[in-house]
Amino acid sequence: MRVHLIGTGAIGGLYGGLLARSGQCVTAQCRSDYEQVKKYGIRIESHVGLGDWTFKPDQVIYPGEMLETPPDVVLLAIKVTPQCDRVALLSPLIGPKTVIVSISNGLEVENELGAAFPDNEVLGGVAFVCATRTAPGRIIHQAYGHLTLGRYPQGPSLIGTDLVNHWLATGASVEYTFELEAVRWQKTLWNASFSALCTITQSTTATVLGETEELVRKVMGEIYETASQLGHKLPVGIIEKQINGTHRMPPYLPSMTLDRAAGNATESEVIVGNAVRAARRIGINTPHLDTLYTLLKLRN
Amino acid sequence: MRVHLIGTGAIGGLYGGLLARSGQCVTAQCRSDYEQVKKYGIRIESHVGLGDWTFKPDQVIYPGEMLETPPDVVLLAIKVTPQCDRVALLSPLIGPKTVIVSISNGLEVENELGAAFPDNEVLGGVAFVCATRTAPGRIIHQAYGHLTLGRYPQGPSLIGTDLVNHWLATGASVEYTFELEAVRWQKTLWNASFSALCTITQSTTATVLGETEELVRKVMGEIYETASQLGHKLPVGIIEKQINGTHRMPPYLPSMTLDRAAGNATESEVIVGNAVRAARRIGINTPHLDTLYTLLKLRN
């Protein structure tokens, strides 16, 4: 399988590197880390069982460089922000049979890709993984490590099953879902509430939870209600489970909080904004989430 | 009339200075600015019609110093924060007939004074004044200038009428209200919404209003509803009036925003917290205001 990887950050490096390890032919598209990756590859250290290895892509190219033949899969592992034109990034690479796989946070993130490439198969991935690029060409995989893959908008996929099998062969924890958007909502339940609260206040999850578990619970309740009304039946007790799980985590700064602190673009629109817009479309009242979303935008 | 002034900031300096100008005997209690005020008095420049003059108190004392005879009036012009024990400040000064006048922002700020000094008359003042202490012993009165005085919890007051007349004699705009708490709610309608939004986001009123008039309107609506259910009938159209008035103001940073930025104690509890608590007591749902209050506390 010929895989074209866009995004050599923590998620792209890890899951692209695992596909290379499983024997797939992986081309990596790099920007700032081009020289480093071209010369030395990407060093990956997994503290949770996937081993340490160097991922040397078969080919390293710059954005905009054309490929001789279109890849079987484009693995898009970049943040979804209004500042980044994913369609423009993909357009030169996509052949008639290329499958687009987008691993990202957020809701409805595949819509834009499905609309731009209506004849291509689109898959989405939701990663529950704690990994960090600590330097160009260096990734530490600290904790967790579960990837859920599914077809957009839903259903089975032959190449999706292949990808899952390749990842499983490396020891990674991966599963295929028939309900991609439900999984996105489940991750968003945590992500929209904690990322918004931590980012607005530049506080850790522990501070937010210690001082206002009540507000966390209200925001999660609004998201749960919205997902349910959209037909995504999230597990019973998911709010308690996520809150208890966060209590057991060390104080954590969500990526949105770090991105904001560093002055970078954040995924607030696809994580929080899309949750708010979905609720409005179906007439669910989400005043706590709306207020957080407004404050997030105000501080942009 | 012997007036004992506590607080020689912008409001205390201006209204204490005006009472001195009207011929009252004013003692000023100073902390950091003791030397300056003792030697040179307080220089006041009014850009809006009250003139420039130097307010030389008849006596300048330190906090804790006893008075030979209790004053007719203690004019308390300090911020109401949990960090400042107003009862302890007042206790050494109050005689059986001393009237306590507290000029401050916030809701229910007189309750604590009424409970601690049940046999003394308590008056409250709400200042719609734009004045700043630019240095120790120096106050600039930039804009507006209206003071509403009323008896706590409500009703007429002989000494209140006297005070109003003394201030009026200096050219100041002052009125006596029979419904003090309604006036507090009217000011809080603006103050709780803009102070919270500007403080959480460290933005000016112009930024907040330009980017999210919708949220301002929702928060004001919740406060309006709470005040109304408490029996304080605010003027019809007050929300439009305050929003339009704010559109006409230059970009403004509320005092809570400046206090937070400077790392000082803020009046968020009496302005925002007391509005939230009043709504809860009578079962009014104020989710937008609640969220702002929680975020304000989180960032403390």
Side-chain angles (χ1 to χ4, degrees), chain B residues 7 31 37 41 43 52 99 134 142 157 180 218 256:
Chain B
R31 281 186 312 175
V37 175
R43 181 72 192 162
D52 299 350
V99 173
T134 56
Q142 294 123 303
S157 159
L180 176 62
K218 281 184 177 164
M256 192 190 292

Side-chain angles (χ1 to χ4, degrees), chain A residues 197 199-203 207-208 211-212 214-215 218 222 280 287-288 290-292 294-295 297-299, chain B residues 197 199-203 207-208 211-212 214-215 218 280 287-288 290-292 294-295 297-299:
Chain A
L197 284 161
T199 302
I200 293 165
T201 61
Q202 288 289 309
S203 309
T207 301
V208 165
E211 296 189 20
T212 179
E214 187 191 353
L215 182 55
K218 281 184 177 164
E222 292 174 352
R280 284 193 190 170
H288 300 90
D290 292 358
T291 307
L292 297 183
T294 302
L295 292 169
K297 282 194 295 182
L298 249 169
R299 291 179 63 88
Chain B
L197 283 161
T199 302
I200 293 166
T201 61
Q202 288 288 311
S203 308
T207 300
V208 165
E211 296 190 19
T212 180
E214 187 192 352
L215 182 55
K218 281 184 177 164
R280 283 192 191 170
H288 300 90
D290 292 357
T291 307
L292 297 184
T294 300
L295 291 169
K297 282 194 296 182
L298 249 170
R299 291 180 62 87

Side-chain angles (χ1 to χ4, degrees), chain B residues 64-279:
Chain B
E65 273 187 58
M66 302 295 288
L67 301 177
E68 283 188 23
T69 41
D72 300 309
V73 167
V74 174
L75 183 61
L76 193 62
I78 56 175
K79 290 198 170 159
V80 182
T81 67
Q83 288 78 2
C84 176
D85 186 342
R86 295 180 299 156
V87 172
L89 270 177
L90 286 171
S91 293
L93 307 164
I94 303 292
K97 291 187 175 171
T98 303
V99 173
I100 301 167
V101 180
S102 166
I103 305 183
S104 75
N105 290 318
L107 296 167
E108 303 174 10
V109 288
E110 293 85 6
N111 296 11
E112 185 191 10
L113 307 177
F117 308 103
D119 301 325
N120 292 80
E121 188 176 326
V122 176
L123 299 173
V126 183
F128 299 83
V129 174
C130 186
T132 310
R133 175 163 65 174
T134 56
R138 186 173 157 81
I139 290 165
I140 310 284
H141 173 208
Q142 294 123 303
Y144 302 106
H146 190 74
L147 177 70
T148 304
L149 196 72
R151 181 155 185 179
Y152 165 80
Q154 61 181 23
S157 159
L158 276 179
I159 205 159
T161 313
D162 270 2
L163 281 168
V164 168
N165 285 331
H166 293 319
W167 273 315
L168 286 173
T170 66
S173 167
V174 184
E175 71 183 317
Y176 190 85
T177 180
F178 282 80
E179 295 190 348
L180 176 62
E181 203 63 9
V183 176
R184 293 210 165 278
W185 275 97
Q186 190 169 331
K187 185 165 185 189
T188 299
L189 187 76
W190 190 95
N191 219 353
S193 45
F194 277 106
S195 292
L197 283 161
C198 293
T199 302
I200 293 166
T201 61
Q202 288 288 311
S203 308
T204 66
T205 50
T207 300
V208 165
L209 204 48
E211 296 190 19
T212 180
E213 190 171 316
E214 187 192 352
L215 182 55
V216 172
R217 220 173 269 277
K218 281 184 177 164
V219 176
M220 285 187 167
E222 292 174 353
I223 299 171
Y224 186 92
E225 173 67 12
T226 305
S228 299
Q229 292 295 323
L230 283 166
H232 306 304
K233 296 290 175 217
L234 303 191
V236 174
I238 182 76
I239 292 179
E240 289 315 303
K241 200 177 154 196
Q242 290 197 355
I243 285 181
N244 291 337
T246 310
H247 271 301
R248 287 193 301 270
M249 279 163 53
Y252 178 70
L253 289 169
S255 63
M256 192 190 292
T257 309
L258 296 172
D259 287 337
R260 167 69 63 84
N264 295 332
T266 78
E267 296 183 310
S268 60
E269 285 303 328
V270 287
I271 295 173
V272 187
N274 281 355
V276 165
R277 284 181 282 270

Side-chain angles (χ1 to χ4, degrees), chain A residues 15 18-19 21-22 50 146-147 160-176:
Chain A
Y15 287 100
L18 287 169
L19 284 181
R21 211 169 83 175
S22 81
L50 295 177
H146 189 75
L147 177 69
T161 313
D162 271 0
L163 282 168
V164 167
N165 285 332
H166 294 320
W167 273 314
L168 286 173
T170 66
S173 168
V174 184
E175 72 183 317
Y176 190 84

